[in-house]
Amino acid sequence: MKIPQSGTKAFLFAFALILNFTSLCFSNNSNVKTDSVKSKTISFKIKLKAAGKITVEPSALKFNKHLAYSFTVDDGYRSAYLTAFPLFNGGKISGPMINEWKNDQGGDGTNAKGLFYSDGFGNKIPFKLGLAINGSTIGDFSAFRGHLSWAEVKEMYEAGWDVLNHGFHHATKHGTNFLAEVTENAASIKQNLGFTMSHFVVPGGESDPGYQLEYEKDALANGSFSVASYLGSGPVIDVKEKVNLDKMIYARTFVQSSKDTIGFKTMDRFLATFDSIAKLSNPIWYNEFTHGVGNGNLWNLSMRFPDFKYYMTAIAKKYGSKGNDSIWMAPWQEVYEYIWLRDRIKVNYSK
C-alpha cells in the first residue's frame, strides 16, 4: 500500500479495506467450483506525519516494487536443489555431481551468501523460483538420480518456492491422454505433499501440431487458474492497471546457455534484455524459464551453473537489496495471487 509521508505533525487516519471477490474452491476430483461473491472488511488506524492531502491505494506490486520477476525451472531436475536453492538462500552449493544420464548437475562447491531483495523495511527476503514437476519422476531412486526427491521438493516448497503442474509423465507424443496427465499429476502432488497445485506449465517435446491446446483446455478445466504455453500473454505484463487473469495463457521465454559458451556473452545478451525491461516506466511482471541449472547444459535446453550463477548474481547486485532494491523476485503463483487480490481491494479512508 502506498502512503506518501511529509511534514512533522501527526494525523490519525482510519482505513477500511473491503475485499470483494468470488471465492474458488477445489472438489475431490480437482474440478474448480465457484462460490458466491463474498466480501471481507479489514479496518485499522494509523498515525502519519503529514499535513497535506493523502492518497491511499494498493501497490501495483508487493512491497511497492517496480519489477516482479518470476523464474521457473521445468521438469524437476535435481540441480534446482543442489545449486539454485543454496545459491539463493545461502549455504553450501554442491560440487560436481554426475547423474544417471552422465550429465553434471552439480555446481562449484562454494559457500553462497544468498541473493536477496528487501521488504522496504530492512528485512531481506531470498530469491525464490518455481518448480514445474512431473510426479512420476520424483523419488529417491538412487544416489545418481537426475530428478528431485519428494523430500527435496517439500523443503523448497516450505521455503516459499512454487510447485507447478507439468503433467504426470511429461507426455507429448501422439496418443497422449492430456486429461490424465493433468489430473494424475495433481493427485500425485496432493498425495505426496498435501496440497493442490493451481497453475500448469505445458511440457515440450515430440508432438502433434496443436497438442498444447489440448493441455491448455484440460488444465484450465481441472484446477489450473493459468497455463504457461507457447503463445499468449507476456513475456512482459504491465500491472499498473487491472490485469485480466481469467484463464490466463502465458507465453514462455527461455534462458539457455549456448552450446559453445565462452565467457558470459550469451548471459550478457539476456541481461541486456532484462535491463531494458526493468527500465520500462510502468510496474511490470516478467517471467522466464529454463530446465537444468547444473554444470552441464542438460539436453542443450538448460543453463550451465556458471551461467545461472552469473545471471542471477548480476540481477541481484543491480536490482536486489544491494542495488536499487526495485525487484520482487517471486514465483509465478505468488505474483499471480497478489495481483488477483490487489484487483479486488476497495480502499475507504478518512482523516
Side-chain angles (χ1 to χ4, degrees):
M1 182 176 294
K2 297 185 290 186
I3 306 175
Q5 298 187 36
S6 63
T8 59
K9 188 176 181 180
F11 290 82
L12 185 64
F13 284 80
F15 295 85
L17 305 183
I18 303 174
L19 284 62
N20 295 301
F21 56 90
T22 301
S23 65
L24 299 173
C25 65
F26 293 93
S27 64
N28 291 332
N29 63 3
S30 296
N31 291 321
V32 178
K33 290 185 176 180
T34 304
D35 289 342
S36 58
V37 176
K38 299 179 180 179
S39 64
K40 184 177 182 65
T41 301
I42 303 173
S43 301
F44 57 93
K45 296 179 180 180
I46 62 174
K47 285 185 177 181
L48 299 177
K49 294 180 179 180
K53 183 179 180 180
I54 298 296
T55 300
V56 182
E57 60 184 7
S59 296
L61 292 170
K62 194 174 183 180
F63 307 123
N64 201 25
K65 300 295 186 178
H66 178 72
L67 168 63
Y69 178 45
S70 302
F71 196 98
T72 302
V73 286
D74 285 357
D75 300 349
Y77 294 123
R78 196 179 179 195
S79 56
Y81 183 79
L82 296 176
T83 67
F85 193 54
L87 175 66
F88 286 1
N89 287 276
K92 178 69 172 180
I93 296 171
S94 169
M97 196 287 288
I98 306 302
N99 66 15
E100 58 192 297
W101 310 306
K102 309 303 180 184
N103 184 275
D104 186 354
Q105 285 208 67
D108 58 13
T110 61
N111 288 305
K113 295 182 179 179
L115 302 179
F116 304 92
Y117 63 93
S118 87
D119 62 0
F121 295 94
N123 300 305
K124 295 194 300 183
I125 302 171
F127 281 21
K128 294 174 294 212
L129 299 186
L131 302 167
I133 67 174
N134 317 103
S136 67
T137 66
I138 305 300
D140 197 1
F141 302 120
S142 78
F144 306 103
R145 56 190 161 81
H147 290 96
L148 296 163
S149 69
W150 288 114
E152 290 165 346
V153 176
K154 184 175 186 291
E155 183 178 348
M156 289 186 283
Y157 175 74
E158 290 179 346
W161 290 36
D162 281 350
V163 176
L164 310 173
N165 194 336
H166 201 39
F168 188 58
H169 299 98
H170 199 281
T172 59
K173 294 182 179 180
H174 181 77
T176 293
N177 185 332
F178 300 103
L179 176 59
E181 283 293 305
V182 172
T183 58
E184 287 180 16
N185 203 40
S188 176
I189 272 60
K190 180 69 173 178
Q191 177 182 349
N192 288 281
L193 297 176
F195 62 89
T196 301
M197 296 178 292
S198 56
H199 299 268
F200 189 86
V201 179
V202 174
E206 179 183 337
S207 59
D208 293 333
Y211 84 101
Q212 76 274 11
L213 301 178
E214 297 300 316
Y215 262 129
E216 293 168 9
K217 174 177 64 70
D218 288 336
L220 291 172
N222 290 274
S224 295
F225 298 131
S226 65
V227 177
S229 190
Y230 294 101
L231 299 174
S233 303
V236 178
I237 298 178
D238 189 322
V239 298
K240 181 178 181 180
E241 307 295 339
K242 185 175 181 179
V243 179
N244 182 11
L245 297 176
D246 184 40
K247 298 183 177 180
M248 173 186 278
I249 306 294
Y250 187 88
R252 284 180 291 178
T253 297
F254 281 92
V255 181
Q256 298 171 354
S257 297
S258 297
K259 295 180 182 179
D260 58 350
T261 295
I262 299 176
F264 297 105
K265 292 181 179 179
T266 299
M267 294 301 107
D268 285 336
R269 288 194 291 270
F270 282 113
L271 285 169
T273 298
F274 191 96
D275 288 341
S276 68
I277 292 169
K279 292 177 182 177
L280 294 174
S281 58
N282 287 344
I284 57 97
W285 179 21
Y286 182 51
N287 274 265
E288 289 185 319
F289 293 74
T290 198
H291 290 85
V293 289
N295 288 328
N297 185 353
L298 187 63
W299 319 131
N300 291 321
L301 295 170
S302 303
M303 295 178 73
R304 298 181 308 115
F305 177 68
D307 285 342
F308 179 78
K309 182 178 181 178
Y310 176 84
Y311 187 66
M312 291 299 175
T313 301
I315 290 173
K317 184 177 180 180
K318 192 168 186 178
Y319 303 105
S321 60
K322 292 185 177 180
N324 63 18
D325 206 21
S326 63
I327 197 171
W328 174 28
M329 175 61 168
W332 178 4
Q333 181 176 335
E334 183 177 338
V335 178
Y336 179 101
E337 290 176 353
Y338 176 86
I339 295 171
W340 184 93
L341 184 61
R342 178 205 72 177
D343 289 344
R344 286 157 177 80
I345 292 177
K346 180 179 179 181
V347 180
N348 294 325
Y349 59 95
S350 60
K351 182 175 176 181

